[in-house]
Amino acid sequence: MLTPEQRTAIEGVLETILELKANSRGRTVAEPFLDLPDREAWKEYYLVIPHPRCLHGIKEGIGKGSYTTAQSVYDDLTLLFANALHFNEDGSGIAKDARTLKVRDIFTTAALPTAITDPFYLQTLFETTWAADPILQKLPPIFRDATPPPKPQPMEDIDSSPANTAAGGVGGAGGDTNWENMKPRDKQGDDIVRKVESQLPKWKGPSGEEGWITLEAKETNDPYTHYGEVLSKLKALKNSDGEGLPSEALTRIDENAVLPECSFTTPMSLALVENRVLLRGYPSPKDFDMDMMRLLEKGRRWFEPGSKDYGRILVLQRFYQGLTSSATARNLLSTTASAHYSSVPAGPGYAKPLHHAQDSGAGVTTYRIQNKDRTFIRNVWFKGVEYRMGDYVHLIHPDDPERPIIGQIFKCYVPDSGPVSHYVTVCWYFRPEQTFHSPQRAFWDQEVFKTGHFADHAVEDLIEKVACQFMTRHIRGRPKPPNWYINWPLYVCDSRYNDRDRVFVRIKNWASCIPDELRKGSGEGFYPIVMFEKTVMPRRVESPFIALSGGAKAVPTGPGGLVDEDEGRRKSKRTAATKVSSNGGAGETGTPAPSEAMVDIFAAVAGPSNAAASIAAIKGSGAAKALVDRSLTVAAGGRSMLGAEPMIEMLPEETARRFDRDPRTNEILWFTGPPIERVNPEAFNPRYSMAYLAFLAKKKAAVAVAAEDDEDMDEEEDDDEQERRDRANRRKRMRMLVEGEEVEKKWVAPPTLLDTLFTRGSASS
């Protein structure tokens, strides 16, 4: 809590800001900053500004005791003026007022404290006033959320190939920010990131007392026998192909090596654990379990993620966690061996939604969180670690253990029936190698994609906690503990991925990506961050399916793949294959030839020898004449002319939705001009005789005459003389047409007054 002296000093600073007048008329400079903008009238403000602040809100928070330190008040005041200068254009009234509140000579009564002399922070009037107070100027420099978010730029979507359409709360602005115009990562950016990360603490390992090894009654009498059996089963476990032992990876770890990514610094190896079991050196089952989890943690950090040995370590961990959990979890190990002991039969890219997989049996995920036959709980403890709603985690992948599933926990629950067990409902995030994308698409380093797949995992599937930042947060800072520690994996998310349509969509509303219960969190919002001095972009990486030269990088095998943008475009209706004949006989449908870009990709992925075969398979038997490649890639001079990261302007999602798609390729049927009107020969071939058409015209005229005769005569008397003459003329001509008389196109003298009176007399009689 604030001390009485600090509170009095802070209130004095606020009064100084509130009393500053703009001119002799008495307008208060701070007036635009008193209250937050209206949410309905200024919706875009809350998309661009992730942490809105106002003077009345800060003053109210001080009165309610919401601020525990003077530094937190200082941060909010700094953020208030930073938001104003960031959102409003230079030269606007509010921007001028914000600049007016900068340092003024009348307040420079003392030197600024060390904590706020950083040139990246605004030197505002309140800072000078703050520094002049002997109580407030001695604050130590700590983390502050005062740097404004990056200025949004007009956004053209990143990728909109037939299988890659990019379009587009929590975390700031979404799909309206043009990352391409931001400064790329450089050495200065690396230094800024390193400076912040060096101040963040490491994870010290599990600290809870719950979720550790479970011993049955007969095992408690001699736990060391059970420990030995567990180690024997681990060492005897075979790889999924039946050749080799995963435990061999543990023998390649240096016992005395100290890894900075680990939560401990003591020696650790499989042989060391076996010796301690033989010497009965574990006071409790928890101590044995903790040593085993440390050994597996060291294995995860020792081997490169994505390598074979890394996958073997994860399989060992999942098998070990099943052995040391409940009897139900142990019994399931014998039936889940083919899925690397995962509680779900298929993972990202392989699994199908439950309502789409009646025949295949691979139904795993849902598009909504299930709430039947389960009791939701606040959290789950497993191996001394607390897992709760909003946490990002690694889970064992049943199809590809080298690449664990990345997901966010949305619910923790216990089934209402059956043995007592704990589960987590997780939203899956896909890796780039689990998506279909064009070869030209570049990815952010450690980028993942949110999906609509929700899966129920047993807690034994959990590997470790990780962190995932939305792009607007990632470029501005790093997550604060306990959401992320420096020795945890960190991912970045910028888009959603629809694996059904193979479409990427830029995320615009970040609040929709997290559990409902977390959308109205604390003042710092979901996943608060330690700010960088300025915006730092992550690095760009190419598709994982494009091998580096010299075979330095293995091409992954998985559910994703490359989609040729040019090839898909030629399959649309406007460039359909023409019918040609290879032998002068009946025509056959021509097969389009692969574009230059796809030929290069086949050569890189499949190798020179297999590339020819792959390309030949696309071309077909060669009997049909190939179409001319009219793709943009070829028009630009070939793939090499586009550079490593070509700039491609694509259709926004709102525009793309208004166009039809090719049912085979899911390609947008996009044309560069309006359709050409063709002359229809059938339009000049009459379907009816002239006599019948004349009969229809007479019938229509007769109906019109009858309608005229039925009009009220009172209306005729109200008309002027000219209107009556016109009506009479029109009736006469229609009667003549009905009776078949020829109507000459000549001028007829208007009727005289006597004629008119005669006509009225005849009508009245």
Side-chain angles (χ1 to χ4, degrees):
M1 294 294 293
L2 295 173
T3 64
E5 294 80 8
Q6 287 179 328
R7 181 168 178 173
T8 302
I10 292 173
E11 290 175 349
V13 173
L14 290 176
E15 290 301 322
T16 302
I17 296 174
L18 295 173
E19 291 175 359
L20 182 64
K21 304 297 182 180
N23 47 43
S24 58
R25 297 179 182 178
R27 186 181 71 85
T28 304
V29 180
E31 183 177 353
F33 314 106
L34 295 178
D35 300 298
L36 293 176
D38 182 77
R39 285 189 175 270
E40 293 298 326
W42 295 92
K43 294 181 180 179
E44 65 274 14
Y45 179 86
Y46 293 92
L47 293 176
V48 176
I49 304 300
H51 303 302
R53 297 291 186 272
C54 66
L55 290 173
H56 282 167
I58 295 173
K59 194 171 183 179
E60 183 180 354
I62 295 173
K64 292 181 178 180
S66 301
Y67 293 99
T68 57
T69 63
Q71 183 71 48
S72 59
V73 181
Y74 173 86
D75 290 346
D76 276 3
L77 285 170
T78 303
L79 185 58
L80 186 155
F81 297 109
N83 288 341
L85 290 174
H86 168 61
F87 182 79
N88 298 279
E89 296 182 358
D90 291 340
S92 63
I94 296 181
K96 290 180 180 179
D97 287 340
R99 297 188 186 281
T100 301
L101 292 176
K102 285 189 175 183
V103 178
R104 298 170 64 89
D105 295 337
I106 58 175
F107 293 102
T108 55
T109 57
L112 293 175
T114 304
I116 55 176
T117 54
D118 193 328
F120 292 101
Y121 293 99
L122 295 176
Q123 303 299 313
T124 56
L125 172 142
F126 90 88
E127 290 177 328
T128 307
T129 311
W130 188 289
D133 192 289
I135 297 177
L136 302 178
Q137 67 178 346
K138 297 180 180 180
L139 288 175
I142 62 175
F143 301 138
R144 300 191 299 264
D145 291 343
T147 303
K151 186 91 171 181
Q153 304 281 342
M155 176 63 194
E156 292 294 336
D157 297 320
I158 294 177
D159 195 359
S160 182
S161 61
N164 276 346
T165 300
V170 175
D176 294 333
T177 304
N178 190 349
W179 308 128
E180 305 297 337
N181 293 340
M182 303 291 249
K183 182 180 179 181
R185 185 70 166 267
D186 54 12
K187 185 178 183 302
Q188 183 184 11
D190 292 338
D191 294 339
I192 293 174
V193 174
R194 193 179 302 110
K195 177 182 176 182
V196 170
E197 292 183 348
S198 64
Q199 302 176 49
L200 294 173
K202 287 174 53 176
W203 184 57
K204 300 297 181 63
S207 57
E209 298 294 330
E210 303 177 39
W212 295 105
I213 185 172
T214 301
L215 298 179
E216 297 181 2
K218 60 180 180 180
E219 297 169 347
T220 56
N221 298 328
D222 188 7
Y224 290 98
T225 301
H226 180 64
Y227 303 158
E229 293 176 354
V230 169
L231 293 175
S232 298
K233 291 180 180 179
L234 280 178
K235 295 174 66 175
L237 184 67
K238 294 184 178 181
N239 292 323
S240 56
D241 56 6
E243 299 180 2
L245 303 173
S247 58
E248 293 177 355
L250 293 176
T251 61
R252 290 191 281 273
I253 300 176
D254 187 354
E255 178 178 310
N256 298 314
V258 177
L259 303 180
E261 300 87 358
C262 288
S263 61
F264 58 94
T265 57
T266 56
M268 181 56 60
S269 67
L270 179 60
L272 185 62
V273 175
E274 290 178 317
N275 289 336
R276 289 179 180 174
V277 170
L278 293 175
L279 298 175
R280 296 179 173 266
Y282 290 111
S284 66
K286 174 189 171 182
D287 296 318
F288 167 77
D289 204 2
M290 184 175 289
D291 261 8
M292 287 299 301
M293 295 306 295
R294 285 177 175 174
L295 174 61
L296 295 168
E297 178 191 352
K298 189 173 184 178
R300 296 196 305 268
R301 303 295 182 254
W302 183 269
F303 297 108
E304 183 72 18
S307 63
K308 290 291 185 182
D309 283 337
Y310 178 81
R312 291 170 181 141
I313 294 295
L314 299 193
V315 173
L316 283 173
Q317 179 172 342
R318 178 58 182 91
F319 184 69
Y320 170 78
Q321 290 175 171
L323 289 176
T324 56
S325 294
S326 62
T328 303
R330 299 183 198 179
N331 296 334
L332 289 176
L333 293 177
S334 59
T335 61
T336 57
S338 60
H340 297 102
Y341 309 102
S342 173
S343 62
V344 296
Y350 299 93
K352 297 180 180 180
L354 290 171
H355 60 285
H356 286 172
Q358 290 85 351
D359 300 331
S360 63
V364 174
T365 63
T366 59
Y367 293 130
R368 294 183 179 180
I369 298 176
Q370 304 298 307
N371 54 17
K372 294 183 179 180
D373 304 324
R374 60 189 63 185
T375 301
F376 293 119
I377 56 179
R378 179 175 175 271
N379 57 3
V380 170
W381 284 91
F382 187 66
K383 301 300 181 183
V385 179
E386 181 186 22
Y387 296 92
R388 57 194 307 171
M389 179 189 304
D391 288 344
Y392 290 93
V393 292
H394 272 167
L395 304 109
I396 187 68
H397 196 304
D399 305 293
D400 188 7
E402 291 89 359
R403 297 169 182 84
I405 298 174
I406 303 164
Q408 184 182 27
I409 298 176
F410 270 63
K411 294 290 184 181
C412 303
Y413 71 93
V414 176
D416 292 340
S417 59
V420 178
S421 55
H422 295 85
Y423 287 82
V424 290
T425 300
V426 177
C427 176
W428 285 353
Y429 283 64
F430 278 26
R431 300 171 182 268
E433 55 266 34
Q434 294 163 347
T435 68
F436 287 88
H437 52 269
S438 66
Q440 293 83 9
R441 195 185 206 285
F443 298 91
W444 302 114
D445 188 24
Q446 293 292 96
E447 185 177 8
V448 294
F449 303 94
K450 188 184 184 303
T451 70
H453 291 279
F454 291 89
D456 296 332
H457 287 264
V459 292
E460 290 80 15
D461 287 351
L462 295 168
I463 299 298
E464 62 182 338
K465 278 189 177 184
V466 298
C468 179
Q469 284 186 288
F470 300 136
M471 186 63 177
T472 51
R473 291 284 185 93
H474 187 71
I475 64 177
R476 291 166 41 229
R478 289 293 178 262
K480 291 182 178 179
N483 293 318
W484 183 65
Y485 294 92
I486 192 62
N487 51 340
W488 284 5
L490 177 63
Y491 299 94
V492 58
C493 178
D494 188 31
S495 305
R496 290 185 178 91
Y497 177 66
N498 184 334
D499 59 322
R500 181 172 48 188
D501 298 330
R502 299 180 179 180
V503 172
F504 294 88
V505 180
R506 285 285 303 279
I507 297 175
K508 296 183 178 180
N509 182 12
W510 297 101
S512 64
C513 301
I514 63 175
D516 295 339
E517 295 83 349
L518 300 180
R519 297 180 186 178
K520 298 180 180 179
S522 61
E524 291 185 299
F526 177 72
Y527 252 52
I529 59 177
V530 180
M531 305 295 295
F532 294 148
E533 295 173 356
K534 64 177 183 178
T535 299
V536 179
M537 299 297 294
R539 284 186 168 81
R540 283 284 200 181
V541 295
E542 60 184 356
S543 168
F545 294 103
I546 300 178
L548 298 179
S549 60
K553 178 181 177 182
V555 180
T557 58
L562 293 175
V563 177
D564 183 12
E565 184 177 5
D566 303 322
E567 180 73 15
R569 183 178 292 110
R570 288 195 301 276
K571 291 181 180 179
S572 63
K573 293 181 180 179
R574 61 188 172 93
T575 53
T578 57
K579 293 185 177 182
V580 295
S581 175
S582 60
N583 53 4
E588 297 178 355
T589 302
T591 303
S595 65
E596 292 182 12
M598 205 59 189
V599 172
D600 295 339
I601 298 307
F602 274 117
V605 176
S609 58
N610 296 330
S614 302
I615 296 170
I618 292 181
K619 289 183 177 180
S621 61
K625 181 180 178 181
L627 293 179
V628 178
D629 190 343
R630 302 181 183 273
S631 64
L632 291 177
T633 302
V634 175
R639 176 70 178 84
S640 59
M641 299 298 294
L642 299 181
E645 298 182 7
M647 290 286 293
I648 304 175
E649 288 186 344
M650 299 318 222
L651 293 176
E653 179 191 11
E654 292 78 5
T655 305
R657 280 203 298 259
R658 300 181 182 276
F659 288 86
D660 294 332
R661 291 178 178 270
D662 190 301
R664 296 172 300 169
T665 64
N666 196 42
E667 175 195 12
I668 294 176
L669 300 179
W670 170 261
F671 302 88
T672 57
I676 300 175
E677 295 185 1
R678 296 190 309 155
V679 176
N680 185 6
E682 296 181 358
F684 297 94
N685 297 329
R687 298 183 180 181
Y688 305 107
S689 66
M690 294 301 294
Y692 180 70
L693 294 176
F695 167 76
L696 292 180
K698 290 181 179 180
K699 182 178 179 181
K700 184 176 181 180
V703 173
V705 170
E708 288 280 351
D709 291 340
D710 291 340
E711 288 185 354
D712 192 355
M713 294 301 296
D714 293 338
E715 293 184 2
E716 275 195 22
E717 294 182 359
D718 294 337
D719 293 341
D720 57 19
E721 188 67 22
Q722 183 62 38
E723 289 179 349
R724 286 196 294 271
R725 285 198 298 268
D726 292 343
R727 180 178 283 109
N729 251 349
R730 188 166 59 252
R731 290 180 180 176
K732 182 178 179 180
R733 293 175 63 85
M734 295 174 98
R735 286 195 179 95
M736 292 172 65
L737 178 63
V738 173
E739 293 170 1
E741 299 180 10
E742 184 178 356
V743 181
E744 297 183 3
K745 294 183 179 180
K746 62 181 179 179
W747 180 81
V748 180
T752 62
L753 179 60
L754 292 176
D755 294 336
T756 304
L757 294 176
F758 177 78
T759 303
R760 287 186 177 181
S762 299
S764 61
S765 61

